[in-house]
Amino acid sequence: MNSKSDPRPVGPPVENWSEPPCPAGDVLTGQHVVLEPLSAEEHAALLYPAYVGKDHVWDYLPYGPFSSAAQYHRWVRDNAGKADPYFMAVKDRARDQWLGVASFLRIKPEAGSIEVGHINFSPALQRTPAATEAIFLMMQWAFEAGYRRFEWKCDALNRPSRRAAQRLGLSYEGVFRQATIVKGRNRDTAWFAAIDAEWPALKEAFEVWLAPGNFDGQGQQKERLGDLTRLVRVAGDPTL
């Protein structure tokens, strides 16, 4: 507490909060998708065909594309089971196919902060309710586990990723210039995040958008998720 002689501001106390657990073994199930901890034996051979001939999906990732199923299997084997990043495989329930991966990373229980990243949804999964629900389930797990902050970071040149972050209700927080080097190229990194105080309204927006009644007989949405999340976001991406 500050005295009159020391008026420098400090943040408010964080009350009634305890350090959340790290993700470990959870299976996340929704209407459209199931997310399981990534396994080379269970998922690699089934995931690889979804990426064949779609090399552009690896453009902004620090690895890939992979020239063979064996090469992809080795990558999965080397990365599955790590505590951070903690990779999950994504199954489209309607198709009964494994079509993508995503991970929790930069997991900091002591700060209540967690990031979603390494998102690699195959073209068959992209721009579907299943893809949206996959991120919703990860966000829901994080906030309901007790995390205070859910982050999304991407290459600042990756406009589809920036649009996706904003559509999902994550607020723009700026660009870190020359943040890293990926595949020999400079990467400026755009930051987005949601915090726990925003989660109830974001959850309601996701539930409204994912409800079967929000889609017509041709599967076209009636209300756009970005419209539902707009009032929750505290800052929009000025480039969009």
Side-chain angles (χ1 to χ4, degrees):
M1 185 173 180
N2 294 343
S3 66
K4 291 182 179 179
S5 61
D6 184 14
R8 291 173 296 177
V10 296
V14 178
E15 298 175 336
N16 302 316
W17 179 81
S18 58
E19 187 173 305
C22 292
D26 296 270
V27 175
L28 310 181
T29 303
Q31 302 174 60
H32 305 286
V33 290
V34 174
L35 284 76
E36 293 181 358
L38 182 64
S39 161
E41 291 70 27
E42 296 291 333
H43 304 121
L46 299 175
L47 281 165
Y48 180 71
Y51 300 122
V52 173
K54 314 294 193 308
D55 287 359
H56 65 280
V57 301
W58 307 97
D59 286 351
Y60 294 107
L61 291 167
Y63 41 79
F66 300 97
S67 60
S68 68
Q71 190 180 60
Y72 182 68
H73 187 281
R74 284 194 295 272
W75 179 85
V76 175
R77 183 193 61 204
D78 291 344
N79 288 276
K82 290 183 177 179
D84 190 346
Y86 182 83
F87 279 93
M88 304 194 80
V90 182
K91 182 178 186 177
D92 184 309
R93 297 183 66 184
R95 300 183 191 211
D96 195 28
Q97 292 179 324
W98 295 97
L99 295 178
V101 301
S103 79
F104 291 114
L105 70 158
R106 296 185 179 89
I107 303 165
K108 299 178 180 177
E110 70 281 3
S113 175
I114 194 167
E115 182 179 339
V116 62
H118 293 282
I119 300 168
N120 193 354
F121 291 170
S122 67
L125 184 61
Q126 293 173 11
R127 301 179 66 84
T128 66
T132 296
E133 187 180 51
I135 303 301
F136 164 64
L137 290 173
M138 294 181 75
M139 195 184 303
Q140 178 174 254
W141 182 90
F143 283 124
E144 293 187 357
Y147 284 87
R148 305 171 60 235
R149 175 177 169 84
F150 184 86
E151 298 180 334
W152 174 301
K153 305 186 186 85
C154 63
D155 190 308
L157 297 175
N158 188 350
R159 290 184 64 79
S161 185
R162 294 176 73 151
R163 283 195 298 269
Q166 180 160 289
R167 171 180 174 269
L168 292 164
L170 304 174
S171 296
Y172 175 74
E173 296 187 336
V175 171
F176 281 38
R177 298 173 299 159
Q178 296 189 187
T180 188
I181 298 171
V182 177
K183 294 177 177 173
R185 299 188 294 269
N186 176 67
R187 170 173 148 159
D188 296 349
T189 296
W191 285 52
F192 298 81
I195 61 172
D196 54 357
E198 298 157 355
W199 172 240
L202 288 176
K203 182 179 181 180
E204 182 177 357
F206 278 107
E207 290 175 342
V208 168
W209 189 83
L210 287 165
N214 190 43
F215 297 88
D216 64 21
Q218 288 70 49
Q220 297 299 309
Q221 62 184 349
K222 297 176 182 177
E223 291 196 72
R224 298 190 305 171
L225 182 61
D227 292 338
L228 295 169
T229 61
R230 181 177 294 118
L231 294 177
V232 185
R233 300 192 306 266
V234 298
D237 187 333
T239 71
L240 300 178

